Amino acid sequence: MRTSRPGRSRLPVAAAVILSATLFPAVAQHRLHNQAEDQTQTRPWMNTKLSPDKRAEMVLKEMTLDEKISLLHGNGMPGWGKPRPNAYLGNGGAGFVLGIPRLGIPMIQMSDAAYGVRSSAENGRYSTALPSNVASAASWDTQAACEYGALIGRELRAQGYNMTLGGGVNITREPRNGRTFEYLGEDPILAGTLVGNRIKCEQGQHVIGDIKHYAVNDQESGRNEVDSIIGKRAMRESDLLAFEIGLETGNPGAVMCSYNATNGDFACENKYLLTDVLKTDWNFKGFVLSDWGGTHSTVKASAAGLDHEEPLDDFFGDKLKEAAQAGKVPMAEIDDHARRMLRSEFLSGIVDHPAQKSVVDVEGGFNTSRRIAEQSIVLLKNENNVLPLDPRKVRSIAIIGPHADEGMISGGGSAQVDPPGRPPAGWQAHVWFPTSPLKAVSARTPGANVPFDSGAKPESAAALAKQCDIAIVFAYQWTSEGMDLPNLSLPERQDALIEQVAAANPRTIVVLETGTAVTMPWIDKVSGVVEAWYAGSKGADAVANILFGSVNPSAKLPMTFPRSEADLPHPQLVAPPPKAHGAAPVAPRGEAKPTFSVHYDEGLKVGYKWYDAEDKPVLFPFGFGLSYTTYSYSDLKIKPGREPAVHFTVKNTGSRAGAEIAEVYAALPPTAGEPPKRLVGWSKVPLNAGESKEVSVTIPPKYLSIYDEAQDQWKLVPGTYTFMVGGSSKDLPLKQPVDLQ
Ligand code: BGC
């Protein structure tokens, strides 16, 4: 099949249109209008007044079998096997789908874009690195999620992409999962709401939105061969609920099925996940694409509901065509796959608003990234109000930590965003963004002495700390796709470094740059702890704004920080069986079977629900985060009904302005058989010093329901529901029972 090279061949036309639009706006408008009219005469599906469904149906009728099949597989990814003859048509991203020029259907150019647009576009590209996804979840802020998505959407288009592969929302069942930084924490309602808002605004920029990795892909160890065993009710109320809410809120064009198997079948050929739940129960009308190399069959996968294979055509190219011609795959099924692809193209607007390469707004990106980081940094400990630092009083600050002079760490794997001006980073390289904590802190305290020590020799770092008023240790934990952490300890003997520095100077503050929870054996010895996560392109400025109080911290943990791995539902990470000598180290690709299983027998008890139910103390609870002011809660009133409304008052009782994330939990009636409580809503409340506000949070019925396995539906159990309100899952001063029928 032949296609033109869209980027190049269309460029002169595009340039002419821009030029004439600039010089003769009225003439250009008129001409464009006429062109659009002509188009709809020859291609009636170009009529933007028609619904995406109608438009897709009209195009589908015109298509040959070969054209349909061409929509159902990718055409390669740089570095993935031998390049294909049409590889030059790609934009350097993870995948691309051929267009159908005779029908006006554009190519789909996909790029990874978890916390920014991934590397390797063929034009000298630049992207903003936002704070990691789990960081953004700590903001609990739907508006910030929207800005996050919109920025990525704009930068994708500027680099010639029209589909994102971001939107990770696997909930944190296993905090050692190396991709925890790409996801949104342990609560399905928080994670689903935030991913949905991100997708809504990302897709609003006219790129096809994506949510991934569907489903129960909760660890990286053996991800291509593991079978996640989990009960239906537990799955629907936890892992799948995050997707359900994300889909409802964001309406993405695509869902990426995951590498692992779930209850026996690989996710990309799992009829229960793809057809029964996603396409039937949730009425998803977009397309399902496989994770890269996650397709294992033709007939089975197609029948189960996989629409599109990436990155190549091992199963959904010639094999699918032959199967269709032989009647093993019904033509109606091929049509359904193709229709879904087309519908998402119309829905997202990539047909009507083709992406055009342009220059990224670097300064705008920096500002957004910094603002979101400021809302994401969690203040975990602040003994004797060691923070905020007063630049007029502090005379010396020791900055300690590997790379703290140079930059801040980012998360690896396909999420990796390249730092500006450096060659594309390897898949699992440690990448330090050029945002220097040393410089940012020095800039705040021009009159003070701000010496640096890498911490390579803890004695010398401790000696430096002893001479200074304050010591700040920037500690890091690097994580990446393709691997899990062996434990939750800081690597490179940083625990010992912190112990020694804290012994030398009691006014020691630890700034954590981590992708997930860490254990803190030194917690009682330091004065302050700040969780900065992977803080993005402007992380150091954001951290300095928090340390010096130009921003009052408001973020809250979207995941529990346990005291030790021994307290996790699975104290030992379940790893794949050792490979036979000489066997490939990764992935059974192609036709394969899972080789081992992880039994998620903690079921519904994910994150805080586990610690609550098992009565285990934690280091820092879900929903926890300090501020430089204080808040009080009062006047709880519940208006029962189909969607109960929870009213209460929050007051800023301190002396500076801030924003309180007020959290609402519910304990279900005992007959529901649920963990002690679940998050059912929240509100981020900005408050000036002394100000109080009445807050109202409406709870959708599903958030109070359980999944009834026997009936295969959500059910509200009649009985007494206790609503609890406060500033953390472990600090809920307001409490009131109500009967709901
Ligand atoms: C990852 C996906 C990613 C894809 C393309 C896979 O290894 O699991 O999240 O989108 O690669 O890079």
Side-chain angles (χ1 to χ4, degrees):
M1 170 182 180
R2 291 172 53 115
T3 28
S4 61
R5 290 178 79 165
R8 313 235 159 130
S9 59
R10 279 197 209 129
L11 201 64
V13 180
V17 170
I18 291 167
L19 196 67
S20 63
T22 322
L23 298 178
F24 312 106
V27 178
Q29 281 294 324
H30 182 69
R31 190 172 299 153
L32 283 175
H33 183 73
N34 283 347
Q35 276 172 2
E37 259 179 13
D38 292 343
Q39 276 245 65
T40 53
Q41 273 165 24
T42 49
R43 295 172 174 164
W45 53 87
M46 289 301 178
N47 181 351
T48 54
K49 295 199 184 86
L50 301 174
S51 71
D53 300 84
K54 178 85 187 145
R55 296 174 76 181
E57 199 56 53
M58 289 164 99
V59 184
L60 189 67
K61 290 216 171 79
E62 304 290 323
M63 283 167 65
T64 65
L65 178 61
D66 282 329
E67 285 170 337
K68 290 174 190 169
I69 298 286
S70 79
L71 289 185
L72 308 186
H73 62 81
N75 295 276
M77 170 189 190
W80 188 288
K82 267 211 331 251
R84 296 297 165 107
N86 61 14
Y88 72 94
L89 290 166
N91 192 40
F96 68 99
V97 186
L98 296 178
I100 307 170
R102 76 174 184 95
L103 301 175
I105 300 302
M107 294 178 64
I108 302 178
Q109 297 283 0
M110 307 172 183
S111 175
D112 280 302
Y115 61 90
V117 183
R118 171 137 173 77
S119 60
S120 55
E122 59 184 3
N123 52 337
R125 36 73 56 206
Y126 167 88
S127 341
T128 305
L130 288 154
S132 63
N133 306 82
V134 75
S136 74
S139 75
W140 296 52
D141 190 316
T142 51
Q143 184 54 35
C146 175
E147 283 173 35
Y148 197 103
L151 183 141
I152 294 178
R154 284 195 299 275
E155 294 196 358
L156 281 163
R157 285 173 61 85
Q159 295 175 35
Y161 294 108
N162 56 11
M163 176 164 172
T164 171
L165 300 172
V169 73
N170 297 79
I171 62 170
T172 310
R173 272 185 184 274
E174 171 48 81
R176 286 161 298 197
N177 178 359
R179 300 188 89 168
T180 303
F181 76 95
E182 287 189 58
Y183 302 140
L184 297 159
E186 68 192 22
D187 184 82
I189 296 179
L190 179 64
T193 305
L194 294 177
V195 84
N197 278 279
R198 174 227 163 113
I199 291 169
K200 183 164 68 187
C201 297
E202 194 171 10
Q203 198 162 267
Q205 296 296 322
H206 307 307
V207 297
I208 299 176
D210 168 50
I211 191 167
K212 71 184 185 185
H213 306 87
Y214 185 69
V216 208
N217 182 185
D218 295 341
Q219 67 172 46
E220 286 296 282
S221 304
R223 64 179 181 174
N224 293 279
E225 49 190 308
V226 65
D227 189 4
S228 302
I229 308 290
I230 182 168
K232 204 192 254 185
R233 171 172 171 190
M235 177 163 45
R236 295 294 301 251
E237 289 185 32
S238 57
D239 295 62
L240 297 200
L241 181 58
F243 281 92
E244 185 173 4
I245 297 171
L247 284 157
E248 252 168 45
T249 314
N251 192 21
V255 172
M256 186 190 294
C257 50
S258 54
Y259 283 131
N260 58 293
T262 299
N263 294 335
D265 286 317
F266 280 114
C268 293
E269 53 183 41
N270 191 310
K271 178 177 167 293
Y272 176 72
L273 287 178
L274 303 184
T275 297
D276 300 352
V277 177
L278 178 67
K279 292 182 175 177
T280 309
D281 195 9
W282 298 345
N283 201 20
F284 174 64
K285 297 243 184 295
F287 67 93
V288 176
L289 81 162
S290 72
D291 200 342
W292 269 229
T295 309
H296 299 285
S297 61
T298 301
V299 176
K300 180 176 177 184
S302 171
L306 179 69
D307 300 299
H308 179 98
E309 176 186 4
E310 282 293 336
L312 278 167
D313 57 356
D314 296 337
F315 295 99
F316 274 37
D318 290 344
K319 283 189 189 161
L320 186 58
K321 182 180 169 189
E322 282 156 24
Q325 285 169 331
K328 290 185 192 142
V329 170
M331 285 298 173
E333 211 171 277
I334 302 286
D335 281 355
D336 181 54
H337 299 320
R339 187 185 293 115
R340 288 169 176 276
M341 299 293 303
L342 294 164
R343 182 184 185 276
S344 293
E345 297 195 44
F346 286 116
L347 173 86
S348 59
I350 70 163
V351 181
D352 306 322
H353 308 270
Q356 295 203 344
K357 290 187 182 176
S358 62
V359 176
V360 165
D361 173 8
V362 178
E363 282 301 318
F366 278 165
N367 286 336
T368 303
S369 185
R370 195 204 65 247
R371 262 200 328 271
I372 295 177
E374 288 164 354
Q375 297 182 68
S376 305
I377 296 172
V378 190
L379 178 61
L380 292 176
K381 180 167 184 187
N382 193 15
E383 201 168 75
N384 301 324
N385 295 326
V386 64
L387 293 171
L389 301 172
D390 185 343
R392 289 162 309 180
K393 291 200 185 135
V394 62
R395 283 159 308 158
S396 51
I397 306 178
I399 300 291
I400 295 165
H403 303 266
D405 54 336
E406 169 210 351
M408 294 182 81
I409 194 78
S410 57
S414 62
Q416 183 71 60
V417 175
D418 289 331
R422 293 196 216 149
W427 193 60
Q428 286 186 329
H430 285 46
V431 175
W432 299 83
F433 261 83
T435 173
S436 157
L438 177 64
K439 286 191 193 145
V441 171
S442 306
R444 291 318 175 97
T445 49
N449 179 25
V450 186
F452 166 72
D453 188 297
S454 76
K457 292 203 188 88
E459 322 76 67
S460 88
L464 186 71
K466 206 177 177 87
Q467 295 160 21
C468 293
D469 292 349
I470 298 275
I472 309 181
V473 184
F474 287 82
Y476 83 98
Q477 167 214 55
W478 174 78
T479 62
S480 170
E481 176 184 344
M483 46 163 275
D484 292 322
L485 292 169
N487 53 52
L488 297 175
S489 301
L490 288 169
E492 285 198 63
R493 285 175 290 148
Q494 294 174 93
D495 283 338
L497 170 66
I498 296 169
E499 298 264 3
Q500 288 199 39
V501 171
N505 186 338
R507 284 162 56 92
T508 290
I509 295 155
V510 178
V511 177
L512 294 164
E513 302 168 35
T514 76
T516 180
V518 283
T519 48
M520 305 180 199
W522 33 261
I523 187 68
D524 294 332
K525 299 177 187 146
V526 302
S527 293
V529 181
V530 169
E531 175 56 87
W533 314 101
Y534 302 151
S537 294
K538 281 285 165 193
D541 290 337
V543 168
N545 285 345
I546 296 280
L547 294 175
F548 288 93
S550 3
V551 171
N552 191 356
S554 60
K556 305 259 173 109
L557 291 179
M559 59 187 291
T560 308
F561 278 38
R563 296 201 308 184
S564 110
E565 297 81 8
D567 292 337
L568 296 173
H570 303 270
Q572 291 294 326
L573 195 82
V574 186
K579 292 272 177 291
H581 188 65
V586 272
R589 300 219 194 275
E591 286 166 25
K593 285 203 164 55
T595 61
F596 74 109
S597 20
V598 179
H599 292 260
Y600 290 113
D601 37 25
E602 75 282 6
L604 295 168
K605 294 184 273 176
V606 183
Y608 62 93
K609 295 168 187 161
W610 166 258
Y611 300 97
D612 277 358
E614 302 288 315
D615 214 2
K616 282 181 197 286
V618 299
L619 180 58
F620 291 108
F622 174 82
F624 174 81
L626 300 169
S627 155
Y628 297 144
T629 186
T630 44
Y631 303 97
S632 73
Y633 286 79
S634 61
D635 299 330
L636 177 62
K637 280 184 223 77
I638 318 278
K639 202 163 135 247
R642 215 184 86 81
E643 297 207 331
V646 180
H647 301 280
F648 52 94
T649 301
V650 193
K651 179 169 188 193
N652 181 341
T653 49
S655 55
R656 38 179 309 166
E660 168 72 335
I661 296 162
E663 304 165 29
V664 181
Y665 295 81
L668 271 57
T671 48
E674 287 284 306
K677 64 173 182 287
R678 55 164 80 159
L679 179 78
V680 292
W682 70 93
S683 175
K684 189 167 178 177
V685 195
L687 288 165
N688 287 322
E691 191 186 4
S692 15
K693 271 189 195 144
E694 275 182 34
V695 180
S696 176
V697 178
T698 307
I699 318 293
K702 189 169 286 167
Y703 296 5
L704 296 169
S705 301
I706 66 164
Y707 195 80
D708 182 336
E709 262 194 65
Q711 306 264 319
D712 241 329
Q713 61 183 23
W714 289 93
K715 176 172 100 183
L716 194 87
V717 179
T720 306
Y721 287 70
T722 304
F723 288 89
M724 293 160 269
V725 180
S728 129
S729 66
K730 286 286 185 204
D731 180 14
L732 299 164
L734 306 183
K735 197 171 173 173
Q736 190 181 311
V738 275
D739 285 339
L740 297 178
Q741 291 317 311

